[in-house]
C-alpha cells in the first residue's frame, strides 16, 4: 500500500526547479503532500482530491493523475527553506489508515 | 495559531521499563492519530481515535502498546515493556473531520524515544 517516490534524493542550487513523483500500485482516492525538516514533524502542504486536479502553494504545486495512479510535486525557483524530506501520502476509504510514501530528500544549496 | 501539543519532547529509558507519551490535539479536532517514525522512514500510523473511541488500531502492537483518549480530548500512548526496537519518534496528529482520505492532518512536534 505504500506509495513509491522518485527520486530518493535530489540536490539543487537555489533557483533551480525540481519534480518529485509519487506512484501507487493501488487506486489513489486522494494524494496528500507533506514536508518534514530534520528533527521536526511533517507539515501539510496540500491535498489533491480528484484526478486532474492541480494545486499551488507559493512556488510549490502538484498534479494528480488518477488513471495512472500518480502524483507529482513541482518546486520552482527553489529556496534554501525548501530543504527537507517530502512525503506523499494516501488513505483508501473509509480513511482509517494512512500510508506515507517512501520519501524524497531535497537539499537546496546556495 | 493552534497547535498539537506533545510531551515529553525527549525520553530516554532502559529496556523493560514503561514509558508514556501525552498528546493534546488542536481544540475542536475530534480525530486524533498516533504515529511511529523510525529514523529514515516515513511515519507509520499506529492508532486512530474518533472522540474517545478507537477507530482503527490494527497496526498497534497490542502486546506492549496501549492508547487511550478517555474524555475525547487529550490522549496517552503507553509502551510496557519498552524494547530496543521501540526507539523512534512518536508523532501525534489531529484533524477536524474524521477519515484521512479527504482531510488534512496537523502534527505535533513529536516525542523522541531512545531505549537503552
Amino acid at each position: 500500500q505504500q506509495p513509491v517516490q522518485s527520486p530518493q534524493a535530489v540536490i539543487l542550487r537555489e533557483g533551480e526547479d525540481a519534480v518529485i513523483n509519487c506512484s501507487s500500485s493501488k487506486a489513489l482516492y486522494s494524494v496528500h503532500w507533506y514536508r518534514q525538516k530534520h528533527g521536526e514533524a511533517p507539515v501539510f502542504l496540500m491535498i489533491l482530491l480528484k484526478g486532474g486536479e492541480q494545486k499551488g502553494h507559493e512556488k510549490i504545486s502538484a498534479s494528480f493523475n488518477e488513471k495512472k495512479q500518480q502524483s507529482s510535486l513541482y518546486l520552482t525557483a527553489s529556496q534554501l527553506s525548501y530543504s527537507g524530506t517530502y512525503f506523499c501520502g494516501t488513505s483508501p476509504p473509509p480513511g482509517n489508515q494512512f500510508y506515507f510514501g517512501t520519501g524524497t530528500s531535497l537539499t537546496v544549496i546556495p | 495559531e493552534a497547535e498539537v501539543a506533545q510531551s515529553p519532547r525527549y525520553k530516554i529509558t532502559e529496556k523493560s521499563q514503561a514509558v508514556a507519551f501525552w498528546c493534546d490535539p488542536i481544540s475542536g479536532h475530534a480525530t486524533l492519530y498516533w504515529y511511529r517514525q523510525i529514523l529514515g522512514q516515513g511515519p507509520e500510523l499506529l492508532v486512530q481515535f474518533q472522540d474517545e473511541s478507537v477507530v482503527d488500531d490494527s497496526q498497534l502492537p497490542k502486546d506492549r502498546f496501549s492508547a487511550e483518549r478517555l474524555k475525547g480530548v487529550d490522549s496517552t500512548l503507553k509502551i510496557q515493556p519498552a524494547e530496543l526496537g521501540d526507539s523512534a519518534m512518536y508523532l501525534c496528529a489531529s484533524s477536524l473531520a474524521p477519515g484521512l482520505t479527504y482531510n488534512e492532518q496537523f502534527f505535533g512536534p513529536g516525542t523522541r524515544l531512545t531505549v537503552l
Side-chain angles (χ1 to χ4, degrees):
Chain A
Q1 295 264 25
Q2 182 181 38
V4 176
Q5 293 181 229
S6 63
Q8 285 188 329
V10 59
I11 300 175
L12 301 173
R13 291 197 178 275
E14 268 186 297
E16 291 183 337
D17 301 339
V19 179
I20 298 172
N21 299 304
C22 173
S23 179
S24 174
S25 60
K26 301 204 173 191
L28 288 172
Y29 295 90
S30 64
V31 177
H32 305 228
W33 285 97
Y34 287 84
R35 176 172 61 208
Q36 186 176 30
K37 293 184 180 286
H38 182 70
E40 299 180 9
V43 173
F44 174 80
L45 293 177
M46 65 190 78
I47 180 173
L48 298 103
L49 300 179
K50 58 184 179 181
E53 185 173 14
Q54 296 189 25
K55 277 192 175 180
H57 176 73
E58 296 180 343
K59 294 181 180 178
I60 301 174
S61 61
S63 63
F64 177 22
N65 188 324
E66 192 173 11
K67 288 184 179 180
K68 291 187 176 181
Q69 298 170 185
Q70 292 177 343
S71 178
S72 295
L73 187 71
Y74 308 93
L75 300 98
T76 58
S78 58
Q79 306 168 14
L80 295 177
S81 61
Y82 287 2
S83 293
T85 301
Y86 288 78
F87 291 100
C88 65
T90 187
S91 177
N96 293 346
Q97 275 298 332
F98 192 84
Y99 300 99
F100 278 91
T102 50
T104 296
S105 174
L106 182 84
T107 304
V108 181
I109 59 176
Chain B
E1 185 176 315
E3 295 180 339
V4 176
Q6 287 188 250
S7 67
R9 293 293 308 277
Y10 303 92
K11 179 69 178 179
I12 299 174
T13 190
E14 295 185 344
K15 63 180 182 179
S16 80
Q17 296 298 304
V19 292
F21 314 128
W22 177 81
C23 171
D24 191 13
I26 293 173
S27 178
H29 282 198
T31 314
L32 184 146
Y33 316 88
W34 282 102
Y35 285 85
R36 175 174 60 186
Q37 185 175 24
I38 295 170
L39 194 63
Q41 299 181 17
E44 173 194 12
L45 182 59
L46 296 175
V47 61
Q48 178 181 160
F49 287 93
Q50 180 64 30
D51 298 311
E52 67 277 6
S53 301
V54 174
V55 173
D56 191 290
D57 63 357
S58 57
Q59 302 301 311
L60 188 70
K62 299 182 190 62
D63 57 335
R64 298 183 300 107
F65 287 64
S66 64
E68 61 183 16
R69 194 183 183 198
L70 294 176
K71 296 183 179 179
V73 180
D74 58 339
S75 175
T76 302
L77 178 70
K78 297 179 181 177
I79 307 175
Q80 182 172 15
E83 296 181 352
L84 297 177
D86 296 332
S87 294
M89 174 78 87
Y90 289 83
L91 295 162
C92 179
S94 69
S95 64
L96 183 60
L100 285 168
T101 303
Y102 305 116
N103 296 296
E104 64 186 272
Q105 50 191 325
F106 299 86
F107 284 85
T111 297
R112 170 73 66 188
L113 173 67
T114 301
V115 182
L116 303 175

